[in-house]
Amino acid sequence: MRVLIPSSLRSYTGGLAALEASAATVSALLMELDRRYPGFRFRVLDEQDALRPHIRVSVNLEVVTDLATPLRAEDEVALIQAFSGG
């Protein structure tokens, strides 16, 4: 599957904006990304293994909140990080 990485997290992927990965679920994908890019998962999930409030995950342009969401090889997963300011 293709995984799109937001610019704010690219320092963890060596600058890669997109990469290929294989995983059965969103949770397994995040574990795989953390294995390849240590520290990545902690930027997306909190200490209770829940998505951080400023992170969204979309699978084929549909936002998902359940980390057990199944993934297929042909899926495109986008990690989206909201920014706030004032």
Side-chain angles (χ1 to χ4, degrees):
M1 79 195 58
R2 181 180 164 109
V3 183
L4 304 176
I5 308 297
S7 59
S8 58
L9 295 176
R10 291 180 193 159
S11 62
Y12 292 92
T13 62
L16 295 174
L19 49 95
E20 294 296 318
S22 177
T25 65
V26 172
S27 180
L29 173 63
L30 295 174
M31 288 175 33
E32 170 61 18
L33 293 177
D34 194 65
R35 185 187 65 75
R36 290 164 56 179
Y37 308 105
F40 188 89
R41 188 171 185 267
F42 183 71
R43 301 295 175 219
V44 177
L45 300 179
D46 64 18
E47 293 81 3
Q48 288 77 40
D49 286 334
L51 285 171
R52 292 191 179 276
H54 60 281
I55 296 288
R56 299 292 179 269
V57 177
S58 81
V59 179
N60 302 321
L61 301 178
E62 181 179 330
V63 174
V64 299
T65 57
D66 186 354
L67 296 178
T69 299
L71 298 173
R72 300 175 312 226
E74 64 272 11
D75 287 341
E76 181 174 85
V77 177
L79 300 174
I80 304 161
Q81 186 167 13
F83 288 96
S84 62

